[in-house]
Amino acid sequence: MATPKLFHFFLVILSLLVSAAAKKTSLEPHQVEEDTTISRFRQYLRFNTAHPNPNYAAPVSFLTSVALSIGLQVKTFEFVPGKPVLLLTWKGSNPSLPSVLFNSHLDSVPAEEDKWSHPPFSAFHSPEDGKIYARGAQDDKCIGIQYLEAIRNLKASGFKPLRTVHVSYVPDEEIGGFDGSAEFVKSKEFEALNLGLVLDEGQASPTDEFRVFYADRSPWHLIIRAIGAPGHGSRLYDNTAMENLMQSVEIITKFRETQFDVAKAGHAALSEVVSVNAVYLKSGIPSPTGFVMNMQPSEAEAGFDVRLPPTVDPNLMREKISKEWAPASRNMTYEIIEKGPLRDYKGRPLMTATDDSNPWWSVFEQAIIAAGGKLKKPEILASTTDTRFMRQMGIPAFGFSPMTNTPILLHDHDEFLKDTVFLRGIKVYEFVISSLSSFEEASQQKL
C-alpha cells in the first residue's frame, strides 16, 4: 500500500496531468499567437545585458515587477557594487525542509549585429515559423521567464509547495561568475536558504530527448614561457626560446590528439576528456615593418585553454605540465590560472549523483516523464556554469533547459528559440517545480 507521502506525491502529478489535458491546445508554430507570456519573454530579451557593459538595473526592475504581480517575496543583494543578485521566494508550508533553488543568469555574451538576420536585442518573433531571435534566447533568459510563468500557473491552479521555492538571477556568469554566484554562495544570505537542490541552465537538444547535466568541466588558463640565448639569425643554437616552446606545442598537440581519438572512437563523450586548445603565440622582436627576421628572440610564450572533467585528477595534470609540457630543464616556466573550483568543501569531485544514492534524482526524472518528456543519458557539460559554485558547497545541482528539437545556438549568430518550445518548457517546469517542492524524503544533510 502506498504511504501517505507517496500518495500525496502522485496526487500532485495527477492533478497536473488533468490540468494539462484541460488546457491542451495545438502548438503548431504558425498557430501560436502572441500572448502575454511570450510578450514578457520578448520584453526580457530586449534588455541589452551583453558584456562588457551589461545593463542589470532594467531587467532586475522588470523581473521584480513580474514577481510581485504573482505574489513572490523579493530581495536584492549586491555582494559586488553594481552587480545585483535578485532572489525571489515562494514560501512552502514546511519551510524547515531544505528548499529548492532555480537559478539563471542575467548577463549575455556580445553579439555581432551585422552577422544577424534581425537585431540581436529586438526579440524579433517570426510569424512564419515562430522563431524568437535574440541574444540570450537560449542562454539563458528563456528559463528565467519560464520559472516565473510556471509558478504563476501553479499558483493559479491552487497548488501550494511543501518546500520553499527560490528563484535567483545572478550577474556575470558569462565572464566566470566570480562577482556573482561565487560571492553569493559564500554569503550568510545564501546559507540561510537551507538548500537541498539547485537547478540551473543546461543546453538545447537537437533530438526529442531533454538533456540534463550532472557536472561541468573546469577551465584552466595555461601560460607557458620559454627563454633562450639571443643571437644572429644565421646561426644554429641549442635550446632557443622558440625551439623549446615549439617542442612543448608538439607534445601538447599529441596529447590533444590522443584525447580526441578516445572521443572519436566512442569510448567517451567530448565533455569527458581533457581538451586543450592553443589560443595565442607570442614571440619575436617587432620592427616598423613586422618583425626582425635576422635575430633569435630570447623569449617566447604560448597560451592554452585547458578544460578538465571532474573525473581527472588535477594533481596528475599539474605533474604532466611540470614534467612534460613545460620542464624547467628546457628553460621553461608556466602559470596555471584556475578559473573556478575543482573540488567541493570535502575534497570531492564536483559531480551530482544521478542514481539511487541521490533521492532528488528519481523525483526529477519522474517529473520529466509525467510532463510527457524523455531524458537522455545524464552528461558532463563541456563548458562551465554557476552550478560549480553550488556543488562546491556540497549542494546537489543539475543543469537543465527544457529545449528539445532545437539546434544548439548559445553564443552563435541568430540565436533563437521557437515559441512552441518556450511554451512547452513552461509546462515542463510546472511538473518539475511542483514535484521537487512536494518531495518529503530528502535528508537535510548535504550530499
Side-chain angles (χ1 to χ4, degrees):
M1 179 179 291
T3 65
K5 293 178 180 179
L6 189 59
F7 178 76
H8 174 72
F9 173 74
F10 284 115
L11 190 61
V12 168
I13 294 298
L14 180 61
S15 67
L16 283 167
L17 286 169
V18 172
S19 174
K23 298 177 182 178
K24 187 176 180 182
T25 57
S26 175
L27 290 180
E28 290 299 321
H30 64 278
Q31 294 177 336
V32 173
E33 296 181 359
E34 181 84 14
D35 62 10
T36 53
T37 303
I38 293 175
S39 294
R40 282 189 286 266
F41 179 38
R42 294 179 66 203
Q43 187 173 349
Y44 186 36
L45 290 170
R46 290 190 183 107
F47 297 116
N48 187 340
T49 56
H51 290 284
N53 298 303
N55 174 4
Y56 287 138
V60 166
S61 177
F62 167 74
L63 292 167
T64 296
S65 176
V66 174
L68 290 174
S69 74
I70 56 178
L72 299 182
Q73 298 175 14
V74 177
K75 292 182 180 178
T76 305
F77 312 108
E78 281 196 6
F79 303 104
V80 175
K83 299 186 178 182
V85 172
L86 177 63
L87 179 69
L88 313 178
T89 300
W90 187 13
K91 192 172 182 180
S93 60
N94 188 352
S96 65
L97 290 173
S99 63
V100 183
L101 174 67
F102 293 83
N103 184 64
S104 69
H105 58 86
L106 295 161
D107 59 322
S108 58
V109 294
E112 299 175 80
E113 186 165 344
D114 61 330
K115 304 287 189 3
W116 285 59
S117 302
H118 308 280
F121 292 99
S122 67
F124 175 80
H125 187 189
S126 170
E128 288 80 18
D129 53 18
K131 294 177 181 178
I132 301 171
Y133 291 87
R135 174 58 84 220
Q138 292 188 16
D139 183 18
D140 68 351
K141 290 181 178 179
C142 53
I143 62 173
I145 294 297
Q146 286 168 331
Y147 295 156
L148 294 181
E149 298 299 336
I151 291 173
R152 181 193 301 276
N153 294 343
L154 288 171
K155 277 176 156 280
S157 74
F159 174 81
K160 298 184 186 304
L162 178 68
R163 297 173 184 271
T164 294
V165 175
H166 300 287
V167 180
S168 56
Y169 300 85
V170 296
D172 283 18
E173 189 275 343
E174 295 291 6
I175 55 173
F178 301 108
D179 287 344
S181 284
E183 291 298 317
F184 184 29
V185 301
K186 294 184 291 187
S187 70
K188 64 181 185 299
E189 291 84 357
F190 184 86
E191 184 178 4
L193 300 181
N194 184 29
L195 293 176
L197 178 72
V198 174
L199 256 68
D200 199 353
E201 64 178 318
Q203 280 188 7
S205 171
T207 73
D208 63 354
E209 294 180 304
F210 291 111
R211 302 173 73 192
V212 61
F213 301 90
Y214 64 91
D216 294 356
R217 288 199 300 182
S218 297
W220 280 2
H221 292 177
L222 173 64
I223 300 171
I224 295 178
R225 300 180 179 92
I227 59 173
H232 197 281
S234 64
R235 298 179 58 189
L236 292 175
Y237 299 87
D238 280 329
N239 296 315
T240 64
M242 281 297 290
E243 177 189 5
N244 285 329
L245 184 63
M246 294 308 295
Q247 187 173 342
S248 288
V249 170
E250 290 176 6
I251 293 170
I252 294 170
T253 299
K254 289 179 181 178
F255 172 84
R256 183 184 187 278
E257 290 172 352
T258 300
Q259 295 289 295
F260 210 174
D261 286 343
V262 170
K264 288 177 180 177
H267 300 310
L270 284 171
S271 60
E272 295 173 341
V273 300
V274 178
S275 67
V276 186
N277 289 302
V279 292
Y280 76 86
L281 181 63
K282 183 170 67 176
S283 188
I285 301 165
S287 73
T289 57
F291 289 89
V292 176
M293 297 296 288
N294 65 345
M295 185 175 178
Q296 288 284 338
S298 61
E299 299 179 356
E301 178 179 305
F304 302 87
D305 185 323
V306 184
R307 304 288 174 125
L308 278 66
T311 51
V312 169
D313 186 338
N315 291 324
L316 292 180
M317 278 303 302
R318 292 188 186 95
E319 184 177 357
K320 179 179 287 291
I321 292 169
S322 175
K323 293 183 177 181
E324 300 177 25
W325 295 7
S329 60
R330 295 209 314 267
N331 298 324
M332 308 193 78
T333 59
Y334 65 90
E335 178 183 4
I336 298 173
I337 304 171
E338 298 183 18
K339 306 297 288 186
L342 291 165
R343 294 290 186 263
D344 72 9
Y345 75 110
K346 287 187 175 181
R348 300 170 298 188
L350 299 181
M351 296 188 290
T352 297
T354 55
D355 56 27
D356 291 342
S357 68
N358 178 3
W360 293 101
W361 170 248
S362 61
V363 180
F364 173 76
E365 186 176 33
Q366 289 304 312
I368 298 300
I369 294 171
K374 296 180 291 184
L375 280 178
K376 292 186 67 175
K377 179 183 176 182
E379 304 172 62
I380 296 174
L381 187 67
S383 54
T384 56
T385 67
D386 284 329
T387 52
R388 56 195 176 139
F389 301 115
M390 316 296 182
R391 295 186 185 115
Q392 186 183 21
M393 308 304 291
I395 301 170
F398 296 126
F400 173 72
S401 294
M403 298 181 284
T404 54
N405 300 306
T406 300
I408 302 169
L409 296 172
L410 70 167
H411 300 194
D412 204 342
H413 305 316
D414 279 347
E415 180 181 354
F416 72 81
L417 187 64
K418 277 193 173 184
D419 47 20
T420 51
V421 175
F422 171 73
L423 292 172
R424 185 194 181 198
I426 294 171
K427 303 306 296 182
V428 171
Y429 274 125
E430 288 180 38
F431 283 90
V432 170
I433 293 172
S434 58
S435 297
L436 294 176
S437 65
S438 299
F439 183 47
E440 297 185 71
E441 303 297 332
S443 166
Q444 293 193 29
Q445 183 178 0
K446 290 180 180 179
L447 299 180

